[in-house]
Amino acid sequence: MADERIRVEVAYARPDKQKIVELYVEPGTTMDQAARASDIREHFPEIDLDQADMGIFGQLEKKPAERVLRAGERVEIYRPLKIDPKEVRRARAKEKSSKSQAESSKK
């Protein structure tokens, strides 16, 4: 009987370093199981797999412990955000508004 394992990848990236680990897993393996089996933490010990968001090819998966992988899929482990994107947009809008008001008062 042929080996029925499937090939998947687990990826993680920081600005200074990226790693994609290829591995062969049993059918029915979840995203979380593949991430743990990949030993990606040997390269990035800061990863907390219990807290990290994960996705498949850029699509966030809400339940990585339940999402079963298909052959060829890549599990992406996402870094936590340092700043909330909503706060960044709010600050930019406020700054732009302040600049517009300052320019209007000069005229």
Side-chain angles (χ1 to χ4, degrees):
M1 189 163 118
D3 187 2
E4 295 182 23
R5 292 176 164 249
I6 60 171
R7 186 188 70 77
V8 297
E9 296 175 334
V10 176
Y12 185 77
R14 294 189 314 221
D16 65 323
K17 181 179 176 184
Q18 302 83 37
K19 182 78 175 170
I20 297 175
V21 177
E22 180 181 301
L23 63 152
Y24 290 83
V25 297
E26 297 291 330
T29 298
T30 65
M31 293 172 64
D32 184 66
Q33 291 169 331
R36 293 176 192 284
S38 72
D39 292 328
I40 194 88
R41 292 197 64 234
E42 287 181 16
H43 303 278
F44 303 97
E46 70 272 16
I47 298 173
D48 180 355
L49 292 174
D50 293 324
Q51 298 296 318
D53 286 332
M54 296 184 200
I56 303 281
F57 295 119
Q59 296 296 313
L60 182 66
E61 178 58 49
K62 293 182 181 178
K63 297 181 180 179
E66 297 176 17
R67 169 58 161 79
V68 174
L69 293 170
R70 294 185 286 271
E73 289 186 315
R74 176 184 300 152
V75 176
E76 297 167 343
I77 303 169
Y78 303 126
R79 290 180 286 132
L81 296 175
K82 291 183 179 183
I83 302 172
D84 181 359
K86 289 180 186 176
E87 291 298 322
V88 172
R89 287 192 295 273
R90 203 172 286 127
R92 281 188 197 143
K94 185 176 180 181
E95 183 178 317
K96 186 176 180 180
S97 175
S98 296
K99 284 182 181 179
S100 294
Q101 289 175 358
E103 289 175 6
S104 294
S105 66
K106 288 180 184 179
K107 293 180 181 179

